[in-house]
Amino acid sequence: MIGLSVLIPVFNNDVRPLVRALLAQAADWHGPVEIRCLDDGSQEPFRVLNRELAGLPGVVYSELERNVGRAAIRNQLATTARYAWLLLLDNDSRLPDDQFLARYRAGRYLAPVLVGGTIYQASPPADDALRLRWLYGCRREARPAAVRQRAPHGQLTLNNLLIQAGVFRELGLDESLTRYGHEDTKFGWLLRRSGIVVQHLDNPVLHEGLEAAPVFLQKSHDAVRNLVQLYQAEGLGADTRLLGAALRLQRWGLSEAVRTTFSLRQSQVQRNLLSARPSLRQLDALKLYWLLTELR
């Protein structure tokens, strides 16, 4: 029988509802299932809550003394996993219904790598500080499988990824990317270079962990820095829309003019993004400004 290891990095979040929902569906996988939760240096109140999981059958809960980062903790989880398939989930995900594992079980014959996707609540959050992250998720991340499949390796996300354990362990995640962002960009490139098929499914998880706008902007800035790091070190990322636009401006000799012009209105853009009616076009412009600054 084909086994499944569900791998959940935990950081400052109560992961008990997600684990219990997965346990309730474990029989639908038609094989042995384990759920491995590894805490990445959370605050003690969250650790106290999640330690309850250690007593549940089929759950392995452990803790790291210090935070090692998004790539390293997933690599550690994969190293200890027992079974042939790995399901990577973020700790702020929720299952949308009771057929989540059943859909993956039916689709696991399609390809060695399956991407289920992400959805968001239909209604905007009451807290204005969360509007930017919610809007970005709805407009940029919540895409049906048919759209994602047009660029299967480029649309890969590490959250809600079902992958054969041998494939993941052979390639691994780049632990030099210590900041937030683009671990999945490089992993998708490695899969494409290795000729490994990626199949997208309509089997989303609900993303509940919305960050306040200042936190999301900091993460977005970190992701831009990682993208530049990948490009300068390995030539990766030129096919992304953001870096592609920046490189075109460089070729046309316009990058410095655009950067200087935008710097004059940066504070105005920041105010919009922190408001109750943020504009994703303004966010795109800010990220382009960050990228042009990093490339100087």
Side-chain angles (χ1 to χ4, degrees):
M1 300 180 73
I2 300 174
L4 171 67
S5 295
V6 184
L7 309 182
I8 308 175
V10 182
F11 183 69
N12 287 343
N13 200 49
D14 181 0
V15 77
R16 295 174 301 170
L18 174 60
V19 170
R20 291 190 176 111
L22 288 163
L23 288 174
Q25 298 185 31
D28 295 334
W29 176 258
H30 292 186
V33 174
E34 66 168 356
I35 302 172
R36 307 188 76 92
C37 302
L38 181 56
D39 185 274
D40 197 14
S42 295
Q43 298 171 3
E44 188 63 18
F46 291 102
R47 293 191 178 211
V48 170
L49 291 174
N50 291 321
R51 283 168 187 155
E52 296 178 10
L53 298 172
L56 298 178
V59 178
V60 178
Y61 172 82
S62 54
E63 299 173 354
L64 298 177
E65 292 185 5
R66 61 178 183 86
N67 185 279
V68 298
R70 294 160 51 86
I73 195 168
R74 286 183 170 90
N75 286 340
Q76 288 192 35
L77 281 164
T79 298
T80 58
R82 296 175 58 194
Y83 296 125
W85 282 92
L86 309 178
L87 175 56
L88 279 61
L89 292 174
D90 285 353
N91 70 172
D92 56 1
S93 298
R94 295 293 179 267
L95 306 189
D97 55 36
D98 60 1
Q99 295 299 305
F100 178 72
L101 289 185
R103 284 189 289 268
Y104 266 139
R105 183 251 306 161
R108 69 191 183 197
Y109 306 101
L110 298 174
V113 183
L114 303 174
V115 184
T118 305
I119 56 175
Y120 289 78
Q121 294 285 358
S123 301
D127 186 350
D128 290 346
L130 305 179
R131 291 291 181 98
L132 177 61
R133 183 65 184 93
W134 173 82
L135 184 65
Y136 185 86
C138 291
R139 300 278 180 85
R140 300 289 174 80
E141 296 177 340
R143 296 175 173 175
V147 173
R148 290 183 271 121
Q149 195 64 42
R150 295 171 190 168
H153 297 86
Q155 295 291 314
L156 180 142
T157 55
L158 293 175
N159 183 29
N160 199 13
L161 178 75
L162 182 70
I163 183 170
Q164 290 178 358
V167 172
F168 186 89
R169 290 177 183 138
E170 179 181 355
L171 300 178
L173 299 179
D174 185 351
E175 297 183 18
S176 72
L177 297 173
T178 56
R179 294 180 294 256
Y180 174 91
H182 288 294
E183 306 96 330
D184 42 12
T185 299
K186 180 169 184 181
F187 193 67
W189 180 81
L190 292 174
L191 289 168
R192 181 173 59 192
R193 187 182 68 178
S194 301
I196 296 172
V197 175
V198 173
Q199 179 67 46
H200 289 259
L201 303 178
D202 286 313
N203 192 27
V205 291
L206 178 67
H207 182 199
E208 292 192 335
L210 299 177
E211 305 102 337
V215 177
F216 178 59
L217 289 175
Q218 182 59 57
K219 286 187 172 183
S220 298
H221 200 169
D222 287 342
V224 166
R225 293 188 179 105
N226 273 358
L227 182 59
V228 172
Q229 178 181 329
L230 287 173
Y231 174 69
Q232 293 179 336
E234 304 180 58
L236 302 180
D239 56 346
T240 64
R241 186 174 65 173
L242 180 62
L243 184 53
L247 295 176
R248 285 194 297 273
L249 289 173
Q250 279 191 331
R251 288 197 301 270
W252 298 338
L254 297 174
S255 58
E256 188 61 24
V258 170
R259 195 193 68 80
T260 301
T261 300
F262 184 85
S263 67
L264 300 175
R265 54 187 298 266
Q266 184 179 1
S267 59
Q268 176 187 348
V269 170
Q270 293 270 9
R271 284 196 300 272
N272 169 264
L273 296 175
L274 297 175
S275 73
R277 300 186 66 181
S279 164
L280 292 185
R281 288 187 178 182
Q282 301 274 41
L283 176 62
D284 291 340
L286 180 59
K287 290 165 70 174
L288 181 60
Y289 168 74
W290 287 335
L291 186 52
L292 291 172
T293 301
E294 292 289 331
L295 288 172
R296 291 178 71 192

